[in-house]
Amino acid sequence: MRHTITILVENEFGVLTRVAGLFSARGFNIESLNVAPTMDETVSRLTLVTRGSEKVIEQINKQLNKLIPVIKTEDISHERHIEREMLLVKVHASEDSRADVLRMVDIFHANVVDVSEQSYTLELTGDAEKLDDFLKMITVDSIIEMSRTGPLGMRRGDDGFVI
Amino acid sequence: MRHTITILVENEFGVLTRVAGLFSARGFNIESLNVAPTMDETVSRLTLVTRGSEKVIEQINKQLNKLIPVIKTEDISHERHIEREMLLVKVHASEDSRADVLRMVDIFHANVVDVSEQSYTLELTGDAEKLDDFLKMITVDSIIEMSRTGPLGMRRGDDGFVI
């Protein structure tokens, strides 16, 4: 099963190595991960997606909580939550194909964030499924390069995941 | 100086631990990082931001290239490139403050992606500076929680950063 885990960590030296090491030591692949500072510059927030049985993920969560720089961790997969991810994709846009590309941009509410002579760079946000669908609709041949962030996750409701 | 480094890696086991370990072993802090699969499911793309002198970053890049699962790496900081990051922020939105929040959403071209009784969850994309400005304009008191992805980076022009 797919798990989305959010973690608040102290901005200590080497904390990412330790968190990632915990997963690799147990043979777990990290499908996607992102980490960036929060409003409190001594604290970063990490969101990672992995796959595994309920039981093992629970064990990993316990181990994560034992790491000194880890302040708090939550597997939000079972909670009412939203996930949003960003995709950046550079596509061929010759005179012939531009109209097609712009039609896709329109349908998916994407944005053109950069234009070169023969290419457009598009930005799209949404859940992972929407991004996958968008990539499926663009013919593979027309993709020059792509990059995605992995999802951010947040519980619904008025409460926050804070220290 | 701030450096944005893009890396293509084989989806091998523990590769994130090794990349992160290389930075922590040299006393370098990773400010932000994201990693997610590409169109080729055996390859992931990693974008990380760090600060350091030109010389040491160059050394790290050389070391990165020596890691077997690393296919390609580039410090795009000196190239013409774009950077885009996504921010998710849950803010208080009582009857009194909703109009103010929506005004900010409008000015920054943000999106309301979730609504609860007393809060809105907003999504914003742009360069790091734009996201910082947005967070400065929202009063700290009104922020319930926030999460950002760290930037994706792409060179401008028609070429792609591919295998």
Side-chain angles (χ1 to χ4, degrees):
Chain A
M1 196 197 139
R2 182 178 180 276
H3 294 265
T4 305
I5 299 170
T6 51
I7 311 174
L8 291 176
V9 294
E10 305 271 1
N11 260 343
E12 261 178 44
F13 189 67
V15 54
L16 186 58
T17 317
R18 294 173 70 185
V19 169
L22 221 149
F23 281 80
S24 58
R26 271 152 199 81
F28 271 76
N29 206 26
I30 294 174
E31 198 169 292
S32 74
L33 176 149
N34 55 61
V35 57
T38 63
M39 299 300 285
D40 177 349
E41 60 183 22
T42 67
V43 175
S44 284
R45 178 163 168 159
L46 204 148
T47 312
L48 69 80
V49 175
T50 188
R51 282 169 204 275
S53 73
E54 210 59 48
K55 209 174 158 185
V56 185
I57 298 289
E58 214 172 286
Q59 278 175 356
I60 289 184
N61 256 321
K62 272 187 197 155
Q63 296 287 328
L64 278 172
N65 275 306
K66 279 186 196 157
L67 291 181
I68 306 283
V70 169
I71 301 165
K72 210 173 168 182
T73 162
E74 184 175 44
D75 180 353
I76 60 172
S77 314
H78 305 300
E79 310 290 336
R80 286 173 59 240
H81 74 284
I82 57 163
E83 286 189 25
R84 306 284 300 184
E85 185 173 358
M86 186 176 69
L87 164 73
L88 217 54
V89 57
K90 193 189 281 184
V91 296
H92 290 293
S94 62
E95 235 169 275
D96 293 343
S97 62
R98 266 172 215 165
D100 285 341
V101 172
L102 292 177
R103 201 170 303 127
M104 293 288 299
V105 166
D106 219 37
I107 292 169
F108 280 86
H109 303 288
N111 286 309
V112 181
V113 291
D114 198 42
V115 175
S116 290
E117 223 168 297
Q118 294 289 320
S119 63
Y120 288 164
T121 303
L122 314 177
E123 174 190 275
L124 180 70
T125 62
D127 58 19
E129 216 179 339
K130 182 183 171 189
L131 270 46
D132 289 342
D133 285 347
F134 184 70
L135 288 169
K136 265 180 227 152
M137 294 298 289
I138 303 176
T139 49
V140 178
D141 288 350
S142 69
I143 296 176
I144 299 171
E145 72 175 307
M146 55 86 70
S147 187
R148 52 200 290 178
T149 57
L152 298 178
M154 227 171 244
R155 284 174 78 149
R156 302 194 63 194
D158 292 325
D159 296 335
F161 181 68
V162 284
I163 302 175
Chain B
M1 195 199 142
R2 182 179 180 274
H3 294 265
T4 305
I5 299 169
T6 50
I7 311 173
L8 291 175
V9 294
E10 305 270 1
N11 258 342
E12 262 178 43
F13 189 66
V15 53
L16 185 58
T17 317
R18 293 173 69 186
V19 169
L22 221 149
F23 281 80
S24 58
R26 270 153 199 80
F28 271 79
N29 206 24
I30 294 174
E31 197 170 292
S32 74
L33 176 148
N34 55 61
V35 57
T38 62
M39 298 301 283
D40 177 348
E41 61 182 22
T42 67
V43 175
S44 285
R45 179 164 168 158
L46 205 147
T47 313
L48 69 81
V49 174
T50 188
R51 280 169 203 276
S53 74
E54 210 59 48
K55 209 175 158 185
V56 186
I57 298 289
E58 215 173 283
Q59 277 175 356
I60 289 185
N61 256 321
K62 272 187 198 155
Q63 296 286 329
L64 278 171
N65 275 306
K66 280 186 195 156
L67 292 181
I68 304 283
V70 169
I71 301 164
K72 209 173 167 181
T73 161
E74 184 176 43
D75 181 353
I76 61 173
S77 315
H78 304 301
E79 311 290 337
R80 285 173 60 239
H81 74 284
I82 57 163
E83 285 189 26
R84 305 283 299 183
E85 183 172 359
M86 185 175 70
L87 163 74
L88 217 54
V89 57
K90 193 189 283 186
V91 296
H92 290 293
S94 61
E95 234 167 278
D96 293 343
S97 61
R98 266 173 215 163
D100 285 342
V101 172
L102 292 177
R103 201 170 302 126
M104 293 289 299
V105 166
D106 219 36
I107 292 168
F108 280 86
H109 303 290
N111 286 310
V112 180
V113 291
D114 198 43
V115 175
S116 290
E117 223 168 298
Q118 295 289 321
S119 64
Y120 287 164
T121 303
L122 315 177
E123 175 191 275
L124 180 70
T125 62
D127 58 18
E129 217 178 339
K130 182 183 170 189
L131 271 46
D132 289 342
D133 285 347
F134 184 70
L135 288 170
K136 264 180 228 153
M137 294 298 289
I138 302 177
T139 49
V140 178
D141 288 348
S142 70
I143 295 177
I144 300 171
E145 72 175 307
M146 58 85 69
S147 186
R148 51 201 290 177
T149 58
L152 298 178
M154 226 171 245
R155 284 174 77 148
R156 301 194 63 192
D158 291 324
D159 295 334
F161 180 67
V162 284
I163 302 174

